[in-house]
Amino acid sequence: MNSEVKVFEDKMKKTISVLQQDLSSIRAGRANPAILDKVMVDYYGTPTPIQQMAAVSVSEARILIIQPWDKSTIGPIEKAILKSDIGINPNNDGNVIRIAFPQPTEERRKELCKEAHKIAEDSKVAIRAIRRDANDKFKAMKKKSEITEDDLKDLEKDIQTLTDNFIKDIDKLEAAKEKEILEI
């Protein structure tokens, strides 16, 4: 029976990893290379992530440096950043691209916290949907007499325990992100 629960546990783990990616893409006023993860550059007709075309590093707390390996790609990288929805203008000096992250206002910080909360709530909904799918599968197995009533109760209890643990993890990740956003 553990293999049945393991399948749903893996799905829940994937939901957590997606949450972590989504939370890392929220700009908290600090330079974070993860903000560029979703930005694709048109490189000879192929959408390519910036990290595959350049070295991305943090030089100061609020400045991100992008140093392309091929200097001819500075223009396309700059265009891709401008087209993206990160809302920051890059500065190009011919060799590197600098992105300065402004200090967010208190109002903007509250908006970012709301955004983080919404992403976390969506993840909780996904976890609960996985729990529902698991319980439906276990009930179907019981109906086909593949498992006993006691097995069904044990499996439902295991899935509920997993769900509770993953919801706690989501709450911890959300609290950490909110703390990061509200930090001055």
Side-chain angles (χ1 to χ4, degrees):
M1 287 302 129
N2 278 348
S3 64
E4 296 293 333
V5 174
K6 186 84 174 120
V7 170
F8 294 103
E9 182 181 11
D10 290 343
K11 287 182 181 182
M12 290 182 183
K13 284 180 182 175
K14 287 179 187 169
T15 302
I16 294 291
S17 70
V18 168
L19 169 68
Q20 289 171 326
Q21 280 182 323
D22 289 348
L23 288 178
S24 72
S25 69
I26 294 177
R27 188 163 50 92
R30 223 183 262 135
N32 182 356
I35 197 122
L36 300 173
D37 285 350
K38 295 178 182 173
V39 179
M40 296 298 216
V41 180
D42 184 28
Y43 186 58
Y44 295 109
T46 307
T48 309
I50 290 178
Q51 287 82 349
Q52 291 181 11
M53 300 175 63
V56 180
S57 60
V58 178
S59 70
E60 296 174 30
R62 298 196 187 301
I63 297 178
L64 199 61
I65 303 282
I66 303 167
Q67 187 162 17
W69 293 305
D70 178 3
K71 297 224 186 298
S72 67
T73 61
I74 283 185
I77 291 173
E78 191 173 21
K79 274 186 196 167
I81 293 169
L82 286 169
K83 274 197 248 176
S84 72
D85 61 352
I86 60 173
I88 295 180
N89 290 328
N91 295 323
N92 170 0
D93 70 0
N95 293 324
V96 297
I97 297 172
R98 286 183 180 78
I99 301 176
F101 289 77
Q103 180 80 24
T105 63
E106 187 174 335
E107 184 179 315
R108 178 69 179 139
R109 283 194 181 101
K110 287 178 183 175
E111 286 175 24
L112 291 171
C113 284
K114 284 180 187 175
E115 188 178 331
H117 181 71
K118 183 187 179 313
I119 291 170
E121 281 303 314
D122 291 345
S123 296
K124 288 179 185 178
V125 168
I127 294 286
R128 291 181 188 121
I130 293 167
R131 176 189 61 192
R132 185 191 61 237
D133 293 344
N135 287 337
D136 290 348
K137 182 176 181 179
F138 299 149
K139 286 175 185 171
M141 290 171 70
K142 165 69 176 91
K143 197 171 187 178
K144 293 179 188 174
S145 299
E146 294 174 12
I147 60 174
T148 65
E149 185 74 32
D150 289 342
D151 290 339
L152 175 63
K153 293 295 179 200
D154 289 343
L155 288 169
E156 285 178 341
K157 188 176 134 211
D158 291 346
I159 284 294
Q160 186 59 48
T161 302
L162 274 177
T163 301
D164 293 343
N165 290 339
F166 280 104
I167 296 289
K168 285 179 190 168
D169 290 347
I170 290 171
D171 288 338
K172 287 177 189 171
L173 289 168
E174 179 188 2
K177 187 63 179 185
E178 285 185 6
K179 182 181 177 204
E180 178 188 333
I181 290 170
L182 295 173
E183 208 172 75
I184 297 178

